[in-house]
Every structure is written in C-alpha cells, then in structure tokens.
Amino acid sequence: MSQPTTRLTVAQALVRFLSAQYTERDGVRYRLIAGTWGIFGHGNVAGIGQALLEYGDVMPYHQGRNEQAMVHAAVGHARQLDRLSAQAVTTSIGPGATNLVTGAALATINRLPVLLLPGDYFASHAPDPLLQQLEHPGEFDVSVNDTLRPVSRYFDRITRPEALIPSALNAMRVLADPAETGAVTLALPQDVQAEAYDWPEEFFADRVWRVRRPAPDPVELADAVSAVRAARRPLVVAGGGVHHSRAEEALRALVEATGIPVASTQAGKGSLRHDHPADLGGIGHTGTAVADDLARTADLVIGVGTRYTDFTTASGTLFQNPDVRFLNLNITGFDAHKLAARTLVCDARAGLTALVEALSGHRVAAEYAAEYREGKERWDAVVEAAYRADDEDAVPTQTQVLGALDAVVGDDDVVINAAGSLPGDLHKLWRARSPRQYHLEYGYSCMGYEIPAGIGVQQAAPEVAVWSLVGDGTYLMMPTEIVTAVQEGLPVNLVLIQNHGYASIGGLSESVGGERFGTAYRFRSADGTFGGAPLPVDLAANAASLGMEVLRAKTVRELREALAAARASDRATCVYVETDPAPTAPPAEAWWDVPVAETAARESAVRAREEYDRQVADRRRHL
C-alpha cells in the first residue's frame, strides 16, 4: 500500500518539518526549532521566505539586520535553554551566506546548536553565473557556502527534493545530540527550494529527539573513585558542560559530601553560587588568586564539562605539581581525553551523581579545606575593594561599574559579555548568584556578540532581566540589532562603557612590546600616530537614534540610579557611562602565551621577549 503524501515545495516541506521537531530530557519537552531568523534576498525570498509566510502560524519568524548577529541571537537562545531548543537562520546567497561563517564558528566552538539555511546557486546551473555566485573553474559544485563546511558539525547541499528527507533527519540528530551539537548547515539551491514534490505524510509527524544522559562506564567509574580517594589536594574545574547538563545540584552535592573545592572556566562560572564556601571563582589567566594558587599545587584536577582552553590552563603553565594527574568527566570523548586524563565519558549530572554515591564517607583533609576557605576570604576582600567607590561623585572605573551593577541585578538576571577587557574583570570579580546569570561567550570571544545574544536570551526567558555589557569597540562593531530589540519589544538592557579605545588589546599590546599601537580611538597626530584628542563620537546618541531609551551617567551615583531605572523599565534601555580608563582590576594571576618578536630594535619589545622566554620555560606537556 502506498504512503499518503502531500505535495509541497522543498522550502514549504522543510519549514513544516521543522515545526514538528521536539527535544525531551527528564520528561520535559521543548520545541527543537523555536523560530527562524531571516534576512531575505535572491536565494531565499521566493523559497524559504514564501514558506515562512505560508506557515507563520507554526513557525515564528524574526527579522534581523545582520546575518552574523542573527546567529549570535540564536546561540544566546540555545545557551539560555541549555541546548534543548535552537533557532534557524536563513539568508540569501553571496554575502548573506558568508556573513554566517563567524557566527557558525562561534556556535560550533562553544558546542551550541544553530540551524543555518543559506540560499545557494541553481542546482540546474541553468542561469549561471548568478549575481553573487562564486565560479570555481575546476569544481563547479563549489559555492561560497562551502566556507561553512569547516565550522559546521553537519553540512549538506540539497540538490534534489527527496534528498531533504535523510538530510533533515540527520540535521536534527546532530542538533539534539549533546556530544555532537554545533552549527548545522543545509545549503539550499534556490531552484530546488521552489520545486514541488510528493512528501510522505510521516515526514511531517511530530518527532521527539530524546536527549541522552549516558551513565559512566563501571570500570571508568571505579578508576575515577580510586583516583579521588588517593588525592590529597583535588580540585574541580567546572566548565560549561555543568550548565548544559543542569548538573549544578549534583556538583554541589559532590562538593558538600567531599569538601573538594571548585574553580570555574568562563563557561562554567556560576556552577556553584559565589558565596558557597568551596567556590573559588575563575581559574586560569583571568582567574582568582585563590583558584590559581590551588591549581599550582593540585595533585588531581577533576575537569567537568570543560574543553581546557589555553586561558584555563594558562597555556600549559598552571598545573605545576610534579605529580598532578587529570580526571575528566565529559560527554564528549574528544574533550575527556585531553591532558592524558583518566576519563569518565558520560553526562555531567549522571557522572557526578555516581561519584557522590561511590565516594560515600570520603572527605578532603580539614587542613586543606581551611586553606582554600582562607584564600577565598582574602579574595572576597579584593573584590570588595575593586567594587567600592569612596567618592560617589567621581567618574567610575570599570570595576566600579561592575560593583554598581552587582548592587542592582536580581539573582536570576542574566549578564552577557564576550570580548574586550570586561571578560577578564568579570571572570575575576563577578559574584554569580544563579546558574544562568553569568553568560560569557569566551570560546570565540567574538566582538559584536553581546547585543544580539541579549535578544536571544530575552526571547528564551522573557521573565528575566537581561544585561548586555559592551565597550565602545564592541559597540562600534555591531550595534544594529538594537533595532531588532526595539522591533520585537524586548526590554534588553545595554550597559555601554566608553573608554575611547580597545582597552583589552591595548593592555596586551603594551605587555608584549607593542606600545598600544593602533588601539586608541583618537585623531591621527602629525607624526602618524593616534595620540591626539578622543574622536567626537556620541555613542549614546547613536543608541537613541536606533530606538533605545538612553540614560547617561557621569558619576558613580548617577550610574547606580541609571541602572536601577533601566531594570525597572519595560523597554530596551541603554545606560551610557564614560569610565576612568586607568585599569583597576587585579592583575592576571597566571600567564597567557602571546608570542613576542624574537628580534626587535625597540627596547619595549626586547624586554617583553625576555619575560616571554622566562614564562614559556614553565610550560608542561601533561602526558
């Protein structure tokens, strides 16, 4: 007996299929593709665009201003919902498609799901060469969309209607798989999008993708338990996988049962509340003194859901105990095997729960617990000093901006950042009060992420206050999604910090002998340098012109008032503040490998190379 069919175009079939996909974990169901972002042009306006119009009752559409920013918004949405729900992004061919590459790289590096639907050339090649079509004389099936292959976890070009069925199913499989997820690309030739086909009705039935919680292998678990029991100075490094798994309570149970302290990566911060006695704050180059001091003497490092980037490991110089060993609990075998570790390849919550049960009665020595708690108290005093403003009528420093924000945010507010000097200050100083409050994109550290990500988070959690923290450099990179926040009626709060330059890279440039070259926003002087007066730009006026309510703050007192007003507002609001550019955050507690010129005529670079040679000598290969 033949299957019942429905005749639809490829684009219509895809949109209808996507609207019927769900994830389920722990008995709770989510829309897998909660909505579609789109900027239309030739390549998707007559295909996906028409389909989204036709099925608008089941597939929400969101209008963006920049293709990269649309991906960032989708990533913010997915992270807020712990990867259980994603969004799609559709673009035209040509520059619309290539603008996806940065966002796709960010998503894949951070292991966050997003579905990309760029238009493509004609599969028939009938009208070649199209406007914006790349012609490769030796490979005629190549298009600019092939730039998305290395940054996608799954890629396919749909050159025949029936090919959509297996490809769409594989795309959903990857998006919903916690070990495989990232950017998924289905490149859609524009003639194929509009082609009709008789689709099996089963293709459009509701389909549930169950998100697994694989348990640890018993042999691996026994080996892990032996390692923990033998350790005298164990340290947990909590990564983003703790949050993705919603394993925060399981981690707290392990800590309270054993007394093992926890340091966190940028993605893992908030795995414990900041005021938990065992929470040591950030680790690595941007970490706290107490976390990095313990890391240097740890004999067992227990990585939970972390990728061990070079910031976390201080470029291989942080873990200096000659006998240090690693135990990595990760749902991805690729990450679990890093640093020649013992492995627990499993879901974070399942693995931590199993460890708690198997370690019954085991605790670290009281002297060790007292040591790290005393170190935590000392660091808490450092944070208080950085936040404190003795003169309420003075121009605030950047750390005082964080202190003022800390006094205003609620426990469930979300603070978003990605690039500049703020990630280091936040990792050291921010006091995370809930698992989702600290939202740092530091896998790609992409300028321009913060504003669109705030939109995605606000869509995912309309009941929470969202704060996008940006410096002037990031703002100038991509402010256009302010219009989208206003259009969508999303009350995203933007804290815009003006210090007239690239503060983070300026400091790094100075430390490596670059003398802050090219990092200030100033007029060009007669000698060709950029050492003149600040540029006469008014970023606050720009934000207002894009539809935001803007509150200007010149002093610490005005800043506190403006932040409180922004939080109380029901519309998109910008708090604009010029800060004292002098750095006030505690210095880095660990090294970061930025190669310095081996030969140079300028004395600053010579001195920097001498320091580099000294530091790099401490690098270890953990084998």
Side-chain angles (χ1 to χ4, degrees):
M1 187 173 69
S2 61
Q3 290 178 296
T5 61
T6 299
R7 190 163 184 82
L8 299 171
T9 68
V10 168
Q12 292 163 355
L14 177 58
V15 171
R16 186 173 163 189
F17 167 83
L18 294 177
S19 70
Q21 306 304 302
Y22 298 87
T23 61
E24 185 177 284
R25 188 173 69 179
D26 303 329
V28 181
R29 187 169 295 187
Y30 298 80
R31 276 281 296 266
L32 176 51
I33 305 299
T36 298
W37 289 91
I39 296 176
F40 295 111
H42 76 93
N44 69 339
V45 65
I48 292 291
Q50 188 280 330
L52 287 169
L53 174 63
E54 186 140 329
Y55 291 105
D57 56 334
V58 293
M59 178 55 68
Y61 164 69
H62 309 292
Q63 184 182 60
R65 268 78 200 169
N66 177 285
E67 292 87 356
Q68 176 183 324
M70 293 192 298
V71 184
H72 292 338
V75 166
H77 169 96
R79 175 166 169 173
Q80 181 67 20
L81 295 178
D82 301 312
R83 309 190 297 190
L84 296 168
S85 179
Q87 293 176 320
V89 178
T90 181
T91 72
S92 62
I93 73 167
T98 52
N99 278 352
L100 295 173
V101 175
T102 296
L106 181 150
T108 296
I109 286 170
N110 285 286
R111 318 288 206 262
L112 292 167
V114 60
L115 176 62
L116 308 180
L117 305 173
D120 214 322
Y121 57 56
F122 277 61
S124 67
H125 293 290
D128 290 358
L130 301 174
L131 175 66
Q132 301 175 331
Q133 181 179 350
L134 172 72
E135 291 186 279
H136 192 294
E139 297 179 77
F140 225 53
D141 62 343
V142 168
S143 80
V144 296
N145 287 337
D146 288 279
T147 61
L148 290 161
R149 288 182 183 271
V151 293
S152 297
R153 294 292 289 170
Y154 178 83
F155 179 99
D156 197 9
R157 179 176 285 115
I158 311 301
T159 56
R160 291 179 59 87
E162 60 267 36
L164 177 66
I165 294 176
S167 188
L169 291 168
N170 273 316
M172 298 304 103
R173 172 187 60 80
V174 174
L175 288 170
D177 189 328
E180 294 294 327
T181 196
V184 166
T185 299
L186 297 181
L188 301 171
Q190 52 195 294
D191 54 344
V192 176
Q193 287 183 51
E195 189 174 343
Y197 182 74
D198 293 322
W199 304 91
E201 276 293 331
E202 287 178 286
F203 186 54
F204 306 120
D206 286 0
R207 190 179 302 269
V208 178
W209 302 85
R210 289 185 171 81
V211 180
R212 301 183 299 278
R213 287 196 182 277
D217 175 81
V219 175
E220 286 193 335
L221 178 62
D223 193 29
V225 169
S226 296
V228 175
R229 288 188 179 277
R232 295 293 174 263
R233 301 182 64 83
L235 172 67
V236 168
V237 175
V242 176
H243 294 313
H244 299 327
S245 176
R246 295 185 182 171
E248 297 90 356
E249 287 301 312
L251 177 62
R252 186 165 65 86
L254 176 71
V255 168
E256 293 179 354
T258 64
I260 300 173
V262 175
S264 55
T265 69
Q266 288 278 18
K269 195 172 170 76
S271 295
L272 288 182
R273 237 186 97 99
H274 76 92
D275 52 4
H276 192 286
D279 179 65
L280 307 183
I283 190 170
H285 178 67
T286 53
T288 68
V290 57
D292 285 352
D293 284 347
L294 259 67
R296 292 184 182 94
T297 60
D299 58 357
L300 180 68
V301 178
I302 307 169
V304 183
T306 177
R307 297 189 302 121
Y308 285 112
T309 68
D310 69 330
F311 256 62
T312 296
T313 66
S315 299
T317 65
L318 184 58
F319 305 110
Q320 285 297 314
N321 187 324
D323 299 320
V324 66
R325 292 294 180 266
F326 295 84
L327 167 63
N328 292 340
L329 193 167
N330 203 298
I331 199 166
T332 305
F334 175 77
D335 292 317
H337 282 86
K338 289 176 179 176
L339 302 176
R342 291 182 172 90
T343 60
L344 270 178
V345 181
C346 61
D347 170 72
R349 195 171 84 180
L352 289 168
T353 300
L355 279 174
V356 172
E357 295 173 356
L359 288 167
S360 177
H362 175 75
R363 286 192 67 81
V364 300
E367 296 80 8
Y368 183 53
E371 176 189 341
Y372 68 69
R373 290 180 181 181
E374 289 170 5
K376 177 179 172 63
E377 289 179 5
R378 291 193 298 271
W379 187 257
D380 288 344
V382 171
V383 175
E384 288 291 342
Y387 280 2
R388 186 170 56 246
D390 295 325
D391 183 357
E392 291 280 308
D393 295 316
V395 173
T397 64
Q398 183 161 285
T399 58
Q400 288 169 348
V401 171
L402 299 184
L405 184 61
D406 176 76
V408 169
V409 300
D411 283 8
D412 294 321
D413 289 12
V414 179
V415 176
I416 301 172
N417 186 241
S421 58
L422 278 166
D425 292 359
L426 286 161
H427 199 208
K428 292 187 190 83
L429 302 174
W430 188 257
R431 300 187 286 206
R433 307 176 201 171
S434 64
R436 305 293 166 269
Q437 184 176 80
Y438 187 87
H439 183 125
L440 260 285
E441 187 287 297
Y442 215 57
Y444 211 42
S445 188
C446 186
M447 295 175 69
Y449 173 82
E450 294 90 341
I451 296 173
I455 292 170
V457 170
Q458 195 77 83
Q459 287 177 325
E463 73 285 357
V464 307
V466 177
W467 302 86
S468 292
L469 275 56
V470 301
D472 46 26
T474 285
Y475 182 86
L476 288 168
M477 184 75 71
M478 196 180 294
T480 50
E481 298 312 309
I482 286 174
V483 178
T484 304
V486 172
Q487 179 179 1
E488 296 267 339
L490 299 171
V492 175
N493 297 305
L494 171 62
V495 180
L496 176 51
I497 300 172
Q498 170 67 280
N499 55 25
H500 301 286
Y502 298 115
S504 173
I505 294 301
L508 178 61
S509 172
E510 188 171 46
S511 72
V512 298
E515 301 176 33
R516 295 183 177 264
F517 175 71
T519 62
Y521 293 149
R522 294 178 180 273
F523 284 105
R524 187 186 294 272
S525 301
D527 63 359
T529 64
F530 295 91
L535 296 176
V537 298
D538 190 340
L539 301 185
N542 179 264
S545 76
L546 297 177
M548 270 195 149
E549 178 182 358
V550 175
L551 306 174
R552 295 176 184 258
K554 295 182 179 179
T555 68
V556 174
R557 189 188 314 278
E558 291 177 0
L559 176 62
R560 294 186 192 279
E561 294 169 354
L563 292 171
R567 193 174 189 281
S569 177
D570 61 357
R571 57 174 294 196
T573 303
C574 170
V575 175
Y576 173 84
V577 58
E578 292 199 36
T579 57
D580 183 336
T584 53
E589 296 291 337
W591 187 60
W592 178 39
D593 190 347
V594 179
V596 178
E598 193 167 0
T599 63
R602 300 180 72 87
E603 181 60 27
S604 60
V606 173
R607 291 196 304 269
R609 180 66 195 198
E610 291 171 353
E611 175 63 14
Y612 178 83
D613 290 337
R614 187 182 70 81
Q615 294 282 4
V616 79
D618 291 332
R619 191 197 308 277
R620 291 185 63 185
R621 295 285 187 185
H622 295 285
L623 300 172

